[in-house]
Amino acid sequence: MNNTWSDRLIEETRDVLDLGFVPRDDFVHMKNINGNWGKKGGNFGKIGLQNWLDRKLIIQDKETDAEYFYATVDELIAAGWAVD
């Protein structure tokens, strides 16, 4: 099964990652449609403010602190991530 977010959320994610908004704190909060729901890690992540400003697509898992690196926004979206 190929899970995907709505077209609207994908466009919102592209806009946010293109610096199209002001974060409410020091992070851009993310969620993953393919996360390990009910298990440890993989559901929610965050991009640090400086990484976001530098356009570095590094998502840190909020529960495990694992980091996921993406070369492009398309790659990040294909991996199931969207803004939360």
Side-chain angles (χ1 to χ4, degrees):
M1 182 175 168
N2 186 14
N3 295 331
T4 187
W5 298 110
S6 70
D7 291 342
R8 181 172 178 255
L9 183 56
I10 289 171
E11 286 308 310
E12 181 180 341
T13 298
R14 289 182 190 286
D15 184 49
V16 166
L17 296 177
D18 194 31
L19 309 181
F21 89 124
V22 177
R24 64 181 184 257
D25 57 22
D26 291 337
F27 301 98
V28 175
H29 298 274
M30 307 294 291
K31 58 187 172 184
N32 193 295
I33 201 164
N34 300 312
N36 297 316
W37 302 104
K39 299 177 184 173
K40 188 170 175 108
N43 300 326
F44 297 97
K46 59 189 177 185
I47 299 174
L49 185 60
Q50 193 59 54
N51 282 334
W52 175 72
L53 289 170
D54 293 341
R55 297 180 185 237
K56 293 180 182 175
L57 302 174
I58 303 169
I59 299 177
Q60 181 180 22
D61 187 290
K62 288 185 177 182
E63 194 171 333
T64 66
D65 292 327
E67 291 186 332
Y68 307 97
F69 301 84
Y70 300 96
T72 66
V73 173
D74 287 336
E75 184 181 315
L76 180 145
I77 290 169
W81 292 103
V83 293
D84 187 22

